[in-house]
Amino acid sequence: MTIVNSFFTTSLLHWYKEHGRNLPWRETKDPYAIWLSEIILQQTRIQQGWAYWERFMQRWQTVEALAAATEDEVLREWQGLGYYSRARNLHAAARQIVALGGFPQTLEEIRKLKGVGDYTAAAIASFAFGIPAAVVDGNVYRVLSRYFGIDTPINTTEGKKVFAALAQEMLPNVCSDDSENSDYSEYSDYSDQSDYSDYSDYSEPSIGATYNQAIMDFGALQCTPKSPKCGDCPLMETCDAFRTGRVEQLPVKEKKLQVKERRMTYVYIRCNGETAIHRRGAGDIWQGLWEPYSIDNLQFSRLAVARRSGKAERIIDNSCAASLCKRCAITSTSEATSSIAKLAIENLPFPIGNDHRRDDNCQLSIVNCQLLRRNLKHVLTHRVIWADFYLWEVEEKPVLPDDYIWIKEEEIDNYAVPRLIEILLKTLPSPPCLGRE
């Protein structure tokens, strides 16, 4: 039994033996632990994701335990990682696995799990079950593109097909002949190195998994996006990008989507040790996460403030906003959104019998409303959010829309909130009777 490798493949295996990263999820064949690591590490640096993986594994040691958790518990544990749809998909997939009676063991069935794409399916199949499937992540795209000099955009349908086929081709192959070749058992993380005749014309399971880890680590540590270490690269002499001076130009990506800006205002309402929060709905960012009273200033043309003391609903439309700006001599967007926010706060109704007043200058007559942060910039993948944050202290609860709930202030840490809200909450002064760490 021999293993046929290209110079490219064998060089990566040699490099990995010396420089590969020691990661805890590589020390197990448990598909649950491997799957969990792959989901967490999507769009996340290993240094950050490692701690989350350990916390998840400690709290939910089996897929059955994770499936039995509530979505709120999973979101709260995920808080800070971003891309919260991953957490919801993780939870849904855990329940899929339990319903199936166990973790699926074929590439096709693994790919059917919620939130599992081609890369994640290949990684689980390869690392947990020894299936000959090549992984293709950002590191793999970069290494293959540079070494073979491929300028097909990696974020196109054609590019994905080209690189997927090439990655699969580069996997070490098992052959049944007795031709002379190197012994690669030293690179294997499987203990059983017996007869692989059943894998003829396929990738030997141990070497395939090791190679997948090798090329990803090589891209992460050696062939990096910026300032790659070409001087001591084992592939330098045969690398097309290095020979043609295109290292910085490869891989190629089509133009990114335009980044949009969005302005939001949050009002933390403090009333006798309690505050009001609501869960964000579907169809927008941060679905399922909690936040204080919010005003999306990009949508203030249809900002509705419920007036429970009557049946009428006050709508702050464009004409109202324009009038507000004119009356207050507002010239900047920041000033406009600030005043609109105050007007919205001011028009929140109180229970019947409590008059709610404002003066002629559009200033809140309630002196306990203060701006804590203005124009905080928060960057997401395809948008930039500019946020203002107010603290409003009242002695009696205003009437809020039906989806808001009142909780004790010290309990807010039990609710999963977006990273932006987590940052804003740290600016709150301690309430009179509660110390805040």
Side-chain angles (χ1 to χ4, degrees):
M1 185 62 55
T2 59
I3 304 172
V4 179
N5 302 86
S6 68
F7 172 77
F8 174 82
T9 300
T10 55
S11 296
L12 288 181
L13 289 171
H14 280 291
W15 179 91
Y16 181 70
K17 183 182 179 183
E18 297 296 326
H19 305 287
R21 293 174 291 190
N22 294 318
L23 303 173
W25 45 86
R26 290 180 176 175
E27 299 174 0
T28 179
K29 301 301 175 191
D30 178 9
Y32 169 64
I34 293 169
W35 163 65
L36 183 60
S37 73
E38 293 298 337
I39 300 299
I40 287 176
L41 293 177
Q42 292 171 5
Q43 306 291 333
T44 302
R45 297 187 307 274
I46 283 182
Q47 185 177 7
Q48 180 188 18
W50 192 325
Y52 281 86
W53 180 82
E54 289 181 332
R55 290 208 298 269
F56 267 79
M57 288 297 298
Q58 183 176 8
R59 182 169 182 178
W60 300 296
Q61 298 180 12
T62 65
V63 69
E64 291 79 10
L66 179 60
T70 67
E71 183 177 283
D72 276 341
E73 289 173 328
V74 175
L75 289 173
R76 181 64 186 87
E77 203 67 51
W78 191 274
Q79 184 172 307
L81 274 178
Y83 298 92
Y84 288 90
S85 60
R86 290 183 297 162
R88 291 189 293 272
N89 290 339
L90 178 77
H91 190 229
R95 294 185 170 180
Q96 275 183 273
I97 294 167
V98 171
L100 290 170
F103 213 101
Q105 299 185 23
T106 68
L107 186 62
E108 294 73 19
E109 292 302 313
I110 294 171
R111 194 181 284 115
K112 293 179 182 178
L113 295 176
K114 186 79 171 177
V116 172
D118 290 340
Y119 161 75
T120 305
I124 298 168
S126 174
F127 303 148
F129 302 112
I131 295 172
V135 298
V136 186
D137 69 349
N139 291 314
V140 176
Y141 276 123
R142 185 167 55 259
V143 173
L144 294 179
S145 174
R146 287 174 175 172
Y147 185 78
F148 292 98
I150 303 172
D151 58 8
T152 306
I154 63 176
N155 56 344
T156 62
T157 300
E158 180 186 1
K160 291 176 181 179
K161 290 181 179 179
V162 167
F163 285 99
L166 179 58
Q168 191 68 28
E169 183 182 345
M170 289 298 103
L171 279 173
N173 292 326
V174 171
C175 296
S176 57
D177 60 72
D178 295 324
S179 60
E180 185 178 350
N181 205 331
S182 301
D183 180 9
Y184 289 94
S185 61
E186 60 180 310
Y187 303 111
S188 175
D189 50 7
Y190 280 70
S191 57
D192 182 8
Q193 297 299 322
S194 54
D195 184 12
Y196 291 106
S197 59
D198 290 341
Y199 292 91
S200 180
D201 297 327
Y202 288 89
S203 298
E204 186 270 337
S206 171
I207 294 298
T210 305
Y211 167 79
N212 278 331
Q213 292 166 345
I215 191 171
M216 288 193 293
D217 276 12
F218 189 80
L221 303 176
Q222 185 83 32
C223 191
T224 52
K226 296 181 179 179
S227 302
K229 303 173 183 177
C230 296
D232 62 354
C233 176
L235 300 173
M236 178 180 64
E237 293 183 0
T238 52
C239 174
D240 186 276
F242 182 78
R243 289 187 289 107
T244 60
R246 296 190 297 156
V247 172
E248 298 297 333
Q249 284 72 51
L250 294 175
V252 174
K253 280 187 177 183
E254 286 193 341
K255 190 176 181 180
K256 295 181 179 180
L257 294 175
Q258 183 180 2
V259 176
K260 298 181 179 180
E261 293 194 350
R262 182 170 178 177
R263 178 169 288 278
M264 303 182 76
T265 296
Y266 289 99
V267 181
Y268 185 93
I269 306 174
R270 174 175 284 167
C271 182
N272 300 318
E274 293 187 316
T275 190
I277 59 174
H278 83 123
R279 190 196 295 269
R280 291 186 65 88
D284 200 356
I285 57 174
W286 305 325
Q287 175 183 334
L289 302 186
W290 295 82
E291 64 183 3
Y293 180 66
S294 63
I295 305 161
D296 189 335
N297 298 121
L298 286 181
Q299 300 173 356
F300 68 76
S301 61
R302 296 298 300 165
L303 178 64
V305 182
R307 299 185 64 84
R308 294 291 186 81
S309 57
K311 295 183 179 181
E313 182 179 62
R314 178 176 182 131
I315 303 294
I316 302 178
D317 57 16
N318 282 329
S319 60
C320 178
S323 174
L324 172 66
C325 294
K326 182 177 180 181
R327 289 163 55 198
C328 299
I330 293 171
T331 58
S332 70
T333 302
S334 177
E335 287 183 279
T337 54
S338 175
S339 294
I340 291 168
K342 288 185 176 182
L343 183 61
I345 297 170
E346 191 181 32
N347 280 273
L348 280 175
F350 283 81
I352 296 175
N354 292 280
D355 189 20
H356 184 65
R357 298 177 299 277
R358 59 183 172 88
D359 59 31
D360 292 334
N361 294 319
C362 287
Q363 299 295 321
L364 283 172
S365 57
I366 302 174
V367 296
N368 289 329
C369 181
Q370 58 179 307
L371 176 65
L372 299 181
R373 287 296 298 266
R374 179 188 291 275
N375 287 336
L376 175 64
K377 183 179 181 181
H378 189 67
V379 180
L380 303 178
T381 305
H382 297 305
R383 72 189 71 195
V384 174
I385 295 176
W386 298 91
D388 292 341
F389 187 49
Y390 289 84
L391 169 63
W392 186 27
E393 297 184 279
V394 294
E395 295 183 358
E396 191 167 2
K397 295 176 181 177
V399 181
L400 299 173
D402 292 338
D403 60 334
Y404 282 83
I405 63 172
W406 289 90
I407 63 170
K408 293 181 180 179
E409 288 193 73
E410 64 266 30
E411 295 176 353
I412 196 166
D413 288 338
N414 297 330
Y415 293 81
V417 300
R419 174 59 179 160
L420 172 60
I421 300 303
E422 189 177 3
I423 294 171
L424 293 175
L425 290 177
K426 291 180 179 179
T427 68
L428 283 171
S430 298
C433 299
L434 292 172
R436 186 177 180 84
E437 297 182 357

